[in-house]
Amino acid sequence: MNLPEPIDNLVKEFSRLPSVGFRTAEKIVLYLLKKPRFDLERFSGSILEAKDKVDYCKNCCMLTDKSMDLCSICRNPKKDVRIICVVSEISDLISIEKSGNFSGVYHVLHGELSPLDGVGPEHLFFDKLWERLTGGNVEEIILANNPTFEGESTAIYIKRFVKERFPEIRLTQLAQGIPQGGSVEYMDHITLGKAMEGRKEI
Amino acid sequence: MNLPEPIDNLVKEFSRLPSVGFRTAEKIVLYLLKKPRFDLERFSGSILEAKDKVDYCKNCCMLTDKSMDLCSICRNPKKDVRIICVVSEISDLISIEKSGNFSGVYHVLHGELSPLDGVGPEHLFFDKLWERLTGGNVEEIILANNPTFEGESTAIYIKRFVKERFPEIRLTQLAQGIPQGGSVEYMDHITLGKAMEGRKEI
């Protein structure tokens, strides 16, 4: 089945996007080709516009309008700047912020340490984080890296640095356990171990 | 959670695509923003390029390079032009062609009749199909519209027209029944009825 080359190329481009397989990419491309050119100009224009008009927050490295130095969270006077929640990716920040359980601010590292993939400390936004800690206002750092090998390595790296340089800052990590709606039967042994270890009086 | 406006807009654009929900759209946008501008220029450029360089085949209304009047299927000398398989959408053609069970040519209607959605015969590529039948070379038309209300309506419309104007052309429709790997237990009663009706000697 030979589709015209520009279509093949476009399907390939779309299938590289996260959560988009080859079939979905094909579906998207056929859908787009039915649209008038005007709509496609707007669509492709908004991709470049987002890239051009958005930058990282000078403080927490979250996304912000280029016209603003600080993101909407860092500009929010209701946020408690004494508590910093460190996340690996912007999507993690969005999930925590949407959950509504946190009133502090964030720091986005934009990745996790992964020596095998060539990601060292110099590739992540650690310097920005140390800078924020030197101000002396920070009372607690909550590590919200994923409980994976890379996430744990990143957390350990932060822990070592903070314990050495800023021993007065409280350092915590998100609790691990059985997620809401999960079943004990199907949990892996590490999760069950952590849940047992972190058990609470009721 | 307020994301910068250009990001919000882009997430909305992506979530309008088929098979892309809000969460996936968010994921895609965050992924794209990590890419260098150069990559995004190529990506958005290839959307417009596909639109500009591709047109419908003058014969069967499949997609083809604008530099060619006919698509790769209509240009293929091995294809039997006496048998036309009528499909609703390009994606249907792709699936049948990939299955490798059909050696004839196609006709893409680009939609199905749906009076409730305002889709009448004038919105589909019926005229092109009637044109092809007047040549007198066509021996069989296989209707491969979906077995849904809209697909059946479209098939009935073609049936009436062909029976009246071209009674010498054989008119067939794809068999309905239990799909490979399906379970009799979970089939709906219409499918079971069709499977029973279309049962074969073994």
Side-chain angles (χ1 to χ4, degrees), chain A residues 56-64 69-75 84-85 87 90 93 105-110 125 128-129 132:
Chain A
Y56 290 150
C57 169
K58 298 275 178 296
N59 194 37
C60 74
C61 309
M62 170 57 179
L63 295 168
T64 181
D69 275 351
L70 299 182
C71 70
S72 61
I73 296 171
C74 288
R75 275 183 281 129
I84 297 180
C85 177
V87 294
I90 288 165
L93 182 160
V105 291
Y106 297 88
H107 191 85
V108 186
L109 295 172
H110 292 281
F125 289 66
K128 286 258 176 205
L129 177 59
R132 293 174 73 181

Side-chain angles (χ1 to χ4, degrees), chain A residues 60 62 84-97 102 105-112 129 142-146 154 158 174:
Chain A
C60 74
M62 170 57 179
I84 297 180
C85 177
V86 178
V87 294
S88 302
E89 300 286 355
I90 288 165
S91 48
D92 302 327
L93 182 160
I94 294 175
S95 289
I96 296 175
E97 191 61 13
F102 182 59
V105 291
Y106 297 88
H107 191 85
V108 186
L109 295 172
H110 292 281
E112 289 176 335
L129 177 59
I142 303 172
L143 300 178
N145 305 98
N146 294 316
T154 312
I158 297 172
L174 289 191

